[in-house]
């Protein structure tokens, strides 16, 4: 409880909370420091660390304007098509390399189109900016559920399944369960955005013409660009085909090392670009989750929560699924989604045991619902990044976010009731 309060209120920097969790386990619980140290490091933490390093290496290549032009050449210059193209591109990339990375890469794409449109603008770009920027943020958010590399929360849940239930979920199996749901959400994102914000511009042709000239001045792709794209493709293949045998974390670390060996990124770039405090925070959160399981605290919380649901008939089946989803959605909008799964994971998995529900179903519902951080600026890195552009207001997230939560929750419940049983959960 103390760790959660500190994460939400942030009276001290979040990495400090991680340090206090480590010290607290030794001083307050009497656990040996060596035991705590061992609980801090597992494949999930290596995966998070490697993914953050890869993110810095990818952003270093500066392909934003080329990506924008490529999207428009596929979609055309109509605003609704461009927005959908940005959502799809952001989503597909974020499903593999993490939303914070893609949001950082795609923000210049959106800002370029907004700025070029505003240069000879007579109508304003307030709503256009909201549509394009939310296309990036929500495209990244819905994609985070698609693969284990889509977000730290997925790696954390996989680690909990393996550690607590002995359930092994590899990269391809996760994609089989979750990727179709991600793809189905993409058109709904664009539909909801255009229902909420009325764009001042239905066509972006003037901005596209200026963008083409800027890309021409950059010249053709360099050899280093092709090497970077090849290396990243190899990392993806490693996650798909070898994560089950050597671990996703090993593949991520190997990929980061390959970028360093190839000279595409310097260690100084990784050292300054990676938020090492985030790695420490996730490691400490996972360690605390392990102790909640070991001490029986998670079981006690789960049984108490189940007792609250029993009188209203929500202690099993769809009622339980919805309750877990709403609980996770509420928590993830007040802290990072990775931290939400780290805190709730042991509780909901114990809840599944107590309610005689599948830990896979409850775990997937928790991990997927942690992506529904559409309501606040701080709920997800993608929302924080687009908000930092200065074009959006905090109330914009509430105005459009509740519609996104409703859409995503309904789709997830349908998947839990129909698709997952078909493929064997």
């Amino acid at each position: 409880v103390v760790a959660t309060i500190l994460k939400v209120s942030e009276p001290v920097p979040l990495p400090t909370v991680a340090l206090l969790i480590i010290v607290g386990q030794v001083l307050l619980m009497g656990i040996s420091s060596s035991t705590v140290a061992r609980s801090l490091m597992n494949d999930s933490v290596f995966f998070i660390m490697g993914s953050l390093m890869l993110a810095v290496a990818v952003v270093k290549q500066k392909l934003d304007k080329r990506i924008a032009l490529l999207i428009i050449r596929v979609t055309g210059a109509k605003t609704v098509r461009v927005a959908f193209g940005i959502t799809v591109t952001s989503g597909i990339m974020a499903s593999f390399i993490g939303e914070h990375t893609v949001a950082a890469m795609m923000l210049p794409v959106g800002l370029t189109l907004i700025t070029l449109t505003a240069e000879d603008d007579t109508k304003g770009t307030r709503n256009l900016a909201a549509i394009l920027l939310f296309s990036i943020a929500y495209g990244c958010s819905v994609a985070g559920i698609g693969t284990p590399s889509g977000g730290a929360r997925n790696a954390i849940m996989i680690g909990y399944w393996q550690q607590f239930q002995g359930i092994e979920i590899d990269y391809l199996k996760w994609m089989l369960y979750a990727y179709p749901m991600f793809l189905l959400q993409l058109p709904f994102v664009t539909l909801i955005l255009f229902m909420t914000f009325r764009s001042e511009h239905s066509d972006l042709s003037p901005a596209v013409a200026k963008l083409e000239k800027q890309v021409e001045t950059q010249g053709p792709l360099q050899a280093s660009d092709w090497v970077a794209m090849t290396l990243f493709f190899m990392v993806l293949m490693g996650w798909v085909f070898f994560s089950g045998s050597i671990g996703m974390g090993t593949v991520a670390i190997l990929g980061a090392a390959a970028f360093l060996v190839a000279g595409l990124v310097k260690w100084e770039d990784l050292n300054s670009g990676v938020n090492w405090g985030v790695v420490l925070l996730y490691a400490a959160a996972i360690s605390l989750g392990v102790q909640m399981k070991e001490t029986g605290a998670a079981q006690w919380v789960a049984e108490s929560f189940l007792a609250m649901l029993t009188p209203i008939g929500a202690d099993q089946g769809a009622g339980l699924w919805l309750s877990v989803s709403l609980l996770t959605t509420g928590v993830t909008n007040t802290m990072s989604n990775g931290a939400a799964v780290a805190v709730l994971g042991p509780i909901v998995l114990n809840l599944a045991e107590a309610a005689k529900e599948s830990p896979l179903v409850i775990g997937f519902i928790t991990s997927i619902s942690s992506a529904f951080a559409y309501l606040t600026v701080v709920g997800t890195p993608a929302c924080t990044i687009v908000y930092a552009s200065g074009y959006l207001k905090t109330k914009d997230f509430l105005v459009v976010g509740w519609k996104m939560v409703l859409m995503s929750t309904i789709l997830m419940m349908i998947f839990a009731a129909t698709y997952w049983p078909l493929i064997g959960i």
Side-chain angles (χ1 to χ4, degrees):
V1 171
V2 171
T4 301
I5 292 172
L6 291 177
K7 288 173 184 174
V8 174
S9 57
E10 287 194 64
V12 294
L14 289 181
T16 308
V17 181
L19 297 176
L20 292 175
I21 289 173
I22 295 169
V23 173
Q25 289 185 54
V26 177
L27 298 184
L28 302 179
M29 300 179 65
I31 303 170
S32 73
S33 58
S34 296
T35 301
V36 174
R38 281 193 293 271
S39 69
L40 290 171
M41 274 297 167
N42 57 28
D43 187 66
S44 298
V45 178
F46 279 134
F47 175 73
I48 293 165
M49 180 167 61
S51 295
L52 292 174
M53 294 168 73
L54 285 170
V56 174
V58 170
V59 171
K60 185 77 175 173
Q61 309 313 309
K62 297 180 179 178
L63 299 173
D64 50 305
K65 285 185 173 64
R66 297 184 190 277
I67 293 172
L69 188 58
L70 179 62
I71 292 171
I72 291 168
R73 282 177 175 167
V74 172
T75 64
K78 294 292 183 183
T79 304
V80 64
R81 294 189 177 191
V82 172
F84 182 63
I86 289 175
T87 301
V88 172
T89 304
S90 300
I92 291 175
M93 289 197 298
S95 67
F96 293 104
I97 60 176
E99 61 187 68
H100 60 285
T101 308
V102 176
M105 288 175 61
M106 292 296 291
L107 180 61
V109 173
L111 293 180
T112 297
L113 293 173
I114 295 166
T115 304
L116 293 177
T117 302
E119 284 180 358
D120 51 0
D121 176 38
T122 57
K123 305 176 184 177
T125 57
R126 169 80 174 87
N127 289 341
L128 173 66
I131 289 171
L132 296 182
L133 294 177
F134 276 121
S135 293
I136 296 170
Y138 289 163
C140 291
S141 295
V142 299
I145 68 173
T147 70
S149 57
R153 57 186 177 270
N154 302 339
I156 290 170
M157 183 56 71
I158 288 174
Y160 282 154
W161 274 327
Q162 183 178 21
Q163 193 157 5
F164 299 158
Q165 263 88 25
I167 298 173
E168 299 283 348
I169 297 292
D170 62 22
Y171 205 91
L172 283 177
K173 188 174 288 186
W174 183 289
M175 287 185 67
L176 177 65
Y177 293 142
Y179 214 82
M181 179 181 166
F182 146 60
L183 293 175
L184 275 178
Q185 290 183 90
L186 290 174
F188 285 104
V189 172
T190 302
L191 177 63
I192 289 171
L193 289 177
F194 275 85
M195 285 173 55
T196 306
F197 304 103
R198 301 285 182 181
S199 175
E200 302 90 348
H201 301 266
S202 60
D203 192 288
L204 301 180
S205 294
V208 173
K210 296 174 185 176
L211 180 62
E212 287 176 338
K213 291 182 180 179
Q214 291 183 3
V215 173
E216 285 176 7
T217 62
Q218 290 183 353
L221 285 171
Q222 303 298 312
S224 59
D225 297 323
W226 290 107
V227 173
M229 288 187 284
T230 301
L231 284 179
F232 187 72
F233 179 76
M234 291 173 66
V235 172
L236 291 181
M237 292 301 99
W239 278 331
V240 171
F241 294 109
F242 300 107
S243 61
S245 56
I246 65 175
M248 293 186 297
T250 306
V251 176
I253 295 293
L254 181 60
F259 272 87
L260 286 165
V261 171
L264 297 171
V265 66
K266 297 179 180 178
W267 176 254
E268 290 75 13
D269 299 321
L270 299 184
N271 196 35
S272 60
V274 172
N275 189 337
W276 299 103
V278 170
V279 178
L280 180 61
L281 185 64
Y282 283 134
I286 291 171
S287 176
L288 183 60
V290 170
Q291 297 309 325
M292 288 184 67
K293 172 71 174 180
E294 294 294 326
T295 61
Q299 181 179 355
W300 177 79
V301 174
E303 290 175 350
S304 301
F305 184 58
L306 194 61
M308 292 171 53
L309 298 177
T310 301
I312 59 174
D315 56 336
Q316 58 185 352
L320 179 62
W321 302 345
L322 183 59
S323 299
V324 169
S325 178
L326 293 177
L327 172 65
T328 306
T329 301
V331 172
T332 198
N333 275 283
T334 60
M335 65 172 71
S336 72
N337 43 45
V341 172
V343 170
L344 293 176
I347 295 172
V348 297
L349 292 179
N350 273 276
L351 182 63
E353 288 184 10
K356 294 182 172 55
E357 289 281 340
S358 166
L360 271 180
V361 172
I362 297 298
F364 268 115
I365 286 175
T366 303
S367 191
I368 289 173
S369 297
S370 72
F372 302 168
Y374 310 126
L375 298 167
T376 63
V377 175
V378 299
T380 174
C383 289
T384 306
I385 288 169
V386 299
Y387 176 75
S389 67
Y391 283 94
L392 300 176
K393 300 177 181 178
T394 53
K395 68 177 183 179
D396 293 332
F397 289 83
L398 291 173
V399 168
V400 69
W402 72 267
K403 301 171 187 175
M404 288 290 300
V405 169
L406 183 62
M407 177 272 294
S408 295
T409 303
I410 291 172
L411 272 179
M412 185 192 63
M413 294 293 289
I414 292 172
F415 263 66
T418 58
Y419 176 68
W420 292 344
L422 283 177
I423 59 174
I425 292 189

